[in-house]
Amino acid sequence: MPIESQLKEAVQITESVWAVLAERLGGTWVLRSAHHLGKSAQNKLMSMMSRPSVDTWLCGALSGGHGRSSAIPQAGDFNAKRFFAFPISGTAQIILVGADDQTAAAQRIWKLTASFLSAKSSSPEQPFLPDLQSGLAFDLPIALEKVLGAFVQTVTCQGAWLAIRRGESLDIQAEWDSSDAKGLSLLIDSNPLLRRVNRSLSEVIITRGQPNWDNLPYGTLKSGTKIWVCLPLVIGQRLIGVVTLWAKKEFTPTEWGRLRELIVRVSPSVEVVVTFSEMGAHLRRLAMLNDFVLTISTAQSLDQIAHRMFGLLSRAFNTELISLFLRSTDGRILRDYSLVEGKVTAFDILLAGHFIEPYLAHDQSVRLIADTLKDEFRPAHVGTRSMLIIPLKYRGQVIGVLIIESLRPEAFNQFDEHLMVVITSHLAGLIEYTRLREEAEGRARSLELIHEVVQQVIGLNDKKEVALITAELVAQYFKFELAAIFLFDENRKFSIQGLGGTHAETVRHALAGVELILVDGVMSHVSKTGESILVNDTRQDQLYKPLKGWEARSEICVALKDGETILGIIDVESLKENAFTQNDLMAMESLAGILASVITSANQYQKLQETILQLQLTEVDLKAHMEAQRLAENRLLQSAKLAAVGEMAAGVAHELNNPLTTVVGFSEIILEELQKDSEHREEMEMVLHEARRASEVVRRLLDFSRQGERVRASADLNEVVQDVIALTRHLIKNHGSTLSLELDEKLPWVFMDRNQMKQVLLNLIHNALQAMPNGGALLVSTMSAQRNEHNWAVMSVKDTGTGISQEDISRIFEPFFTTKADRGGTGLGLSVTFGIVSDHGGTVEVASELGQGATFAVWLPL
């Protein structure tokens, strides 16, 4: 019957709440089967079973082979008040039952169920060989837990542990009901009992009261413990490990026979498992070479190299006690990389006096320290028992040291030593190349900064703006917490300031109301002597004086000099010690030279700017005069054209006027005498109409030629507009157009001929209506304006008609030019308009595009 079915039936018969089958594997409890216990409750149960007190209670049930019960600490999570534990004989398994209570009959049923499972798990005795198919041979902890479990299942004991020999020590790698023992390393020669086992290769039995009872190696013995046994794991004449057990009573001869038989059977298996594990560890370490090529060689910075290298070493050697020390190019600073709680940290310290200084000598070689206690060597980490120290050499020079430590003695061997020599030889070259590349990039950033500063501040004549821009750029490029530029004013005080960086506001508040340059401070010294200062630990420098709320750990201060004259200083600060290098100092000095030149030439540049501005104003004024002259010439040319046409028009008009008068007179007489139904009446009416139209053209020519008598006086232009609108409003309405008026009520009066201005406006309105054959919007407006230092009155007529092309705009004021020949246009209306306005000292401007309407603006001088 499956285990699940057995648990289900037993729960039903005993009226229990739930039941699980648990097994102790690898020092932890896992659930093999469960009935009537949800996933959430199962997780809580496993968490409870991992507690040391509960683990000890369950191990006691397994060791004693008897069932036991206890109240559940968190009964609400399991719907039951008590635990009932029933061990399965010969295994590391136990049935755990949750119920409020169990009768004696119910407990017998659970014991019967446990015996069924014990019989099912029993198998003929066979050598304890690792299961190569399941991968057990490659998992040393689980394999050793199973080996130890075989001993615990063979006899009843209170606790046990299994240790594997590593050089001259025994490492406890599996435990039973003694969780504090796992991971400890016991020196064989330091304990008389372990020494005796190593020499005799035979078991050691100590009972309470014997002289060596107080010399027992580590074991959580209980008050009822009566016997302690150490069984050696032997291959040939070589001790490979020990199994230690302790119990409340001495073992029977039968139990002793089983233990001795088991220790002989498992020794070869343990040897195979340990060998496989060591071979796997060695292969994993060899794989570091491949990992080194794939991961570390592609790192882009020293921090990335350290981070990736520490990850490889911690996995290969199963330790986090790793340190990398790199010497700076000037030999003063030591960069310390360490692995702290799984994270790589880095900080700079002075090399002088550091314990690693002797290992940076050029003649140093790899050191393998098997046991720091014996060698009396000072490790980098507390509790270290073995170390591997590898100098990093590049072209014969030691540039750093890599230290790998372990809490176990003899954790490293010659294979590890040779492997690390190969890896560090490549690592040293990679580190040096990366460092050179970072220094080159730093110099490139310095040049880029100088270029950016020059680009942004050249030509500035405001010193404060120069200081502010430079400080912000320095902080931005170098990621400094504080970058400050202080410049002298005409009173030789640092009143001109520029602050940048993440702590700029803090320092700005600290400087409020404080004398900036302290008499005996770093900046005061630089401003007086002009000498640059680099401070890598302000606590060790007597010149440094902190501000309220701001105390740096590193500082660079450089003077801005023009010859022997000090113009100001550049000051950069950091909260970290040893934050700056000589390259940073050189970059700041280069920047100071450029900045000093910019500040020195600021006044000259300002004068140059003023000259350029004056030239630009002169250029604008000259262009304005040239444009005015061009317009005047155009008007003069137009006036000349009009004058010539006027003279010609006067002659033509006089020649045509008399014949036309005769034609009109005789046509009227003939029409009076003709009968209304005469067949010639229509033709004579046409003759009269055309003669009158020709007379009108002649009249306009005469008007154009002599403009009539001038009657000018100051008059209201708005009143002229109102009079014309009154005459044309009906015409505009019948045309299907809408009229809008926008008259400036504060428009000054204009010196003009009212009648002529009415004729001008009438011509413009007629033209606008003709440009909108299907109706549209007509806007007539007046306003005052100023142009070329003169005051003008502007009267505008705007339509939404067909518009005028740019080609035609240049000709529309020419006499007899018309775009409305098909609609009876004569080409004289705008010419007359232009003549009237020009005679008043004004001008007519046109703005139009095809399809977008047109605006005619009449400018009259005030």
Side-chain angles (χ1 to χ4, degrees):
M1 182 182 297
I3 295 175
E4 291 80 1
S5 300
Q6 293 186 40
L7 293 179
K8 179 179 179 180
E9 291 191 359
V11 167
Q12 293 174 348
I13 295 173
T14 60
E15 297 182 352
S16 303
V17 178
W18 51 265
V20 298
L21 175 64
E23 182 177 8
R24 196 174 192 270
L25 187 63
T28 60
W29 289 92
V30 294
L31 299 184
R32 297 299 188 190
S33 181
H35 173 67
H36 211 259
L37 188 66
K39 291 292 184 183
S40 176
Q42 290 182 30
N43 293 334
K44 292 179 181 178
L45 179 61
M46 285 191 291
S47 176
M48 183 178 294
M49 294 170 71
S50 65
R51 298 177 185 175
S53 59
V54 178
D55 179 56
T56 301
W57 184 76
L58 294 173
C59 289
L62 285 176
S63 301
H66 302 292
R68 56 176 60 177
S69 67
S70 175
I72 301 178
Q74 297 171 334
D77 294 337
F78 304 101
N79 297 323
K81 296 179 180 179
R82 298 185 68 80
F83 283 140
F84 292 87
F86 301 95
I88 300 175
S89 178
T91 69
Q93 297 179 338
I94 194 169
I95 297 176
L96 200 59
V97 180
D100 292 340
D101 195 12
Q102 290 280 280
T103 63
Q107 294 186 40
R108 284 196 297 273
I109 291 173
W110 282 114
K111 291 176 182 179
L112 182 62
T113 304
S115 67
F116 290 157
L117 297 177
S118 176
K120 182 177 181 179
S121 64
S122 63
S123 60
E125 292 184 354
Q126 56 184 350
F128 188 86
L129 294 176
D131 184 0
L132 298 180
Q133 297 297 325
S134 66
L136 178 62
F138 304 99
D139 197 335
L140 183 62
I142 293 180
L144 296 182
E145 284 284 350
K146 285 187 174 292
V147 170
L148 184 60
F151 284 91
V152 173
Q153 295 159 17
T154 300
V155 296
T156 301
C157 62
Q158 293 177 306
W161 48 259
L162 185 152
I164 298 300
R165 183 170 184 172
R166 303 282 187 189
E168 296 303 319
S169 63
L170 290 169
D171 296 343
I172 300 177
Q173 298 194 17
E175 53 79 26
W176 178 264
D177 200 10
S178 182
S179 57
D180 294 339
K182 192 171 184 178
L184 294 180
S185 182
L186 307 174
L187 284 176
I188 296 176
D189 290 341
S190 66
N191 186 276
L193 299 179
L194 297 179
R195 237 184 358 255
R196 184 163 58 170
V197 172
N198 183 39
R199 292 172 182 174
S200 64
L201 299 180
S202 60
E203 62 197 37
V204 173
I205 305 171
I206 304 295
T207 57
R208 184 179 289 275
Q210 287 185 341
N212 281 327
W213 183 261
D214 293 334
N215 294 326
L216 296 179
Y218 184 85
T220 309
L221 304 182
K222 299 180 181 179
S223 58
T225 302
K226 298 295 184 183
I227 186 172
W228 181 89
V229 177
C230 184
L231 302 172
L233 295 165
V234 180
I235 297 295
Q237 295 298 315
R238 181 167 52 89
L239 179 70
I240 65 169
V242 298
V243 175
T244 301
L245 305 95
W246 54 94
K248 293 190 296 184
K249 59 181 180 179
E250 296 185 9
F251 302 135
T252 65
T254 302
E255 291 175 331
W256 272 117
R258 293 177 181 173
L259 288 175
R260 288 169 181 143
E261 180 184 0
L262 184 60
I263 198 71
V264 173
R265 285 195 297 113
V266 301
S267 292
S269 302
V270 171
E271 172 75 358
V272 172
V273 171
V274 172
T275 302
F276 266 106
S277 177
E278 290 180 349
M279 288 175 59
H282 184 63
L283 291 175
R284 285 194 299 272
R285 293 175 185 178
L286 289 178
M288 287 175 58
L289 290 173
N290 184 54
D291 291 342
F292 180 87
V293 173
L294 294 177
T295 59
I296 299 178
S297 299
T298 60
Q300 299 298 314
S301 65
L302 292 178
D303 290 344
Q304 282 188 2
I305 291 175
H307 187 273
R308 295 180 182 182
M309 191 67 194
F310 281 23
L312 288 177
L313 295 178
S314 62
R315 291 194 299 272
F317 294 102
N318 194 27
T319 180
E320 290 191 352
L321 307 180
I322 306 172
S323 299
L324 175 63
F325 300 94
L326 298 178
R327 180 165 50 185
S328 62
T329 52
D330 58 10
R332 298 186 310 105
I333 306 302
L334 194 65
R335 186 77 167 173
D336 182 356
Y337 292 94
S338 301
L339 196 60
V340 179
E341 296 181 355
K343 296 182 178 180
V344 178
T345 61
F347 59 93
D348 293 332
I349 52 178
L350 291 175
L351 176 59
H354 196 276
F355 82 91
I356 207 67
E357 187 175 12
Y359 295 97
L360 293 172
H362 70 278
D363 57 347
Q364 287 295 322
S365 58
V366 179
R367 288 196 61 181
L368 175 61
I369 301 173
D371 192 339
T372 56
L373 297 181
K374 292 182 178 179
D375 292 358
E376 297 181 355
F377 186 84
R378 175 191 171 187
H381 298 85
V382 178
T384 294
R385 293 296 301 275
S386 57
M387 300 176 63
L388 193 58
I389 305 175
I390 314 103
L392 276 66
K393 293 185 178 181
Y394 181 74
R395 294 183 178 179
Q397 298 294 324
V398 179
I399 63 170
V401 177
L402 176 65
I403 300 179
I404 309 173
E405 304 176 64
S406 176
L407 298 176
R408 296 184 293 104
E410 300 185 6
F412 310 105
N413 53 40
Q414 289 185 346
F415 293 106
D416 301 328
E417 181 180 341
H418 296 158
L419 174 65
M420 290 310 302
V421 168
V422 175
I423 290 178
T424 52
S425 64
H426 294 285
L427 181 63
L430 180 61
I431 288 175
E432 193 64 16
Y433 168 77
T434 304
R435 182 153 55 187
L436 291 174
R437 180 172 53 79
E438 288 184 348
E439 290 179 358
E441 290 175 350
R443 293 190 180 98
R445 284 197 303 272
S446 301
L447 293 175
E448 186 178 358
L449 168 65
I450 293 172
H451 176 73
E452 184 72 18
V453 169
V454 171
Q455 289 289 91
Q456 297 228 18
V457 305
I458 193 69
L460 295 179
N461 49 38
D462 186 345
K463 293 182 180 180
K464 185 173 184 180
E465 188 175 1
V466 171
L468 181 60
I469 292 176
T470 306
E472 289 178 348
L473 288 175
V474 170
Q476 173 185 342
Y477 271 81
F478 292 98
K479 304 296 188 293
F480 294 153
E481 287 98 330
L482 175 66
I485 310 293
F486 300 108
L487 304 178
F488 281 120
D489 57 17
E490 59 276 6
N491 298 320
R492 298 297 295 172
K493 290 185 178 181
F494 280 120
S495 61
I496 304 172
Q497 305 172 10
L499 299 176
T502 55
H503 290 74
E505 284 300 320
T506 303
V507 175
R508 185 174 288 107
H509 289 302
L511 291 176
V514 176
E515 179 66 26
L516 177 60
I517 303 300
L518 301 176
V519 176
D520 53 351
V522 172
M523 290 187 287
S524 175
H525 179 81
V526 174
S527 65
K528 293 176 181 177
T529 64
E531 299 176 354
S532 301
I533 291 182
L534 169 60
V535 181
N536 271 313
D537 188 354
T538 56
R539 291 173 295 185
Q540 307 297 324
D541 194 284
Q542 296 179 352
L543 285 178
Y544 180 78
K545 297 296 184 292
L547 291 171
K548 183 178 180 181
W550 171 255
E551 183 172 357
R553 286 289 177 262
S554 302
E555 181 179 11
I556 291 178
C557 192
V558 178
L560 303 174
K561 295 187 294 183
D562 179 21
E564 297 300 322
T565 304
I566 297 177
L567 307 175
I569 58 173
I570 299 177
D571 186 75
V572 293
E573 301 181 15
S574 174
L575 293 174
K576 300 177 182 178
E577 297 177 9
N578 305 300
F580 306 126
T581 64
Q582 290 296 325
N583 289 333
D584 296 327
L585 179 60
M586 292 172 58
M588 292 301 103
E589 288 177 339
S590 300
L591 177 62
I594 298 295
L595 196 59
S597 299
V598 172
I599 295 172
T600 302
S601 61
N603 293 333
Q604 298 174 353
Y605 184 78
Q606 184 177 6
K607 293 179 181 179
L608 178 62
Q609 288 293 96
E610 291 175 353
T611 303
I612 292 174
L613 180 61
Q614 187 64 35
L615 290 175
Q616 289 175 341
L617 293 176
T618 303
E619 180 184 10
V620 171
D621 189 47
L622 180 60
K623 287 183 178 180
H625 283 296
M626 291 174 63
E627 180 65 19
Q629 183 177 355
R630 186 184 65 81
L631 293 175
E633 289 175 354
N634 288 340
R635 291 173 187 163
L636 182 61
L637 179 61
Q638 187 69 16
S639 298
K641 289 182 179 180
L642 291 176
V645 172
E647 292 176 1
M648 180 183 67
V652 172
H654 283 294
E655 292 296 328
L656 294 179
N657 192 39
N658 292 333
L660 287 175
T661 302
T662 303
V663 172
V664 171
F666 281 107
S667 297
E668 290 175 349
I669 294 172
I670 293 172
L671 282 174
E672 289 178 359
E673 294 178 356
L674 279 178
Q675 298 294 326
K676 290 184 178 182
D677 55 353
S678 172
E679 59 180 2
H680 299 292
R681 187 174 185 84
E682 185 176 352
E683 287 84 353
M684 288 306 299
E685 287 178 347
M686 183 181 298
V687 171
L688 178 62
H689 178 270
E690 291 301 319
R692 287 176 175 172
R693 190 173 74 83
S695 297
E696 179 64 21
V697 171
V698 170
R699 184 189 66 79
R700 289 193 178 188
L701 284 173
L702 289 174
D703 291 342
F704 177 74
S705 64
R706 62 176 179 268
Q707 294 295 337
E709 184 182 355
R710 294 185 178 184
V711 182
R712 297 186 183 179
S714 293
D716 187 356
L717 185 60
N718 288 338
E719 188 176 303
V720 171
V721 173
Q722 295 286 5
D723 291 345
V724 174
I725 293 301
L727 295 173
T728 60
R729 189 181 299 275
H730 183 70
L731 175 62
I732 295 171
K733 182 177 180 182
N734 289 340
H735 187 267
S737 298
T738 59
L739 174 66
S740 300
L741 288 177
E742 293 181 1
L743 304 181
D744 186 357
E745 298 296 335
K746 298 181 180 180
L747 184 67
W749 282 20
V750 182
F751 189 73
M752 63 181 176
D753 187 321
R754 288 173 57 92
N755 291 329
Q756 287 183 332
M757 282 302 116
K758 288 181 181 180
Q759 183 180 353
V760 167
L761 184 55
L762 279 171
N763 287 343
L764 294 178
I765 290 176
H766 279 293
N767 282 349
L769 293 177
Q770 290 175 357
M772 299 185 293
N774 299 321
L778 181 66
L779 172 64
V780 180
S781 62
T782 60
M783 66 175 185
S784 59
Q786 189 175 33
R787 178 188 287 179
N788 298 331
E789 300 180 358
H790 291 88
N791 296 321
W792 302 80
V794 184
M795 176 177 65
S796 299
V797 176
K798 181 178 181 182
D799 63 66
T800 58
T802 57
I804 309 171
S805 68
Q806 295 299 316
E807 181 181 356
D808 291 342
I809 286 179
S810 62
R811 301 186 60 197
I812 56 175
F813 295 115
E814 294 180 4
F816 305 112
F817 177 81
T818 179
T819 60
K820 301 173 288 184
D822 57 335
R823 288 169 281 173
T826 63
L828 292 173
L830 287 178
S831 295
V832 172
T833 298
F834 187 85
I836 294 173
V837 174
S838 297
D839 193 51
H840 280 73
T843 184
V844 182
E845 295 181 354
V846 185
S848 177
E849 291 183 11
L850 284 175
Q852 302 295 324
T855 301
F856 285 80
V858 177
W859 289 69
L860 299 173
L862 291 175

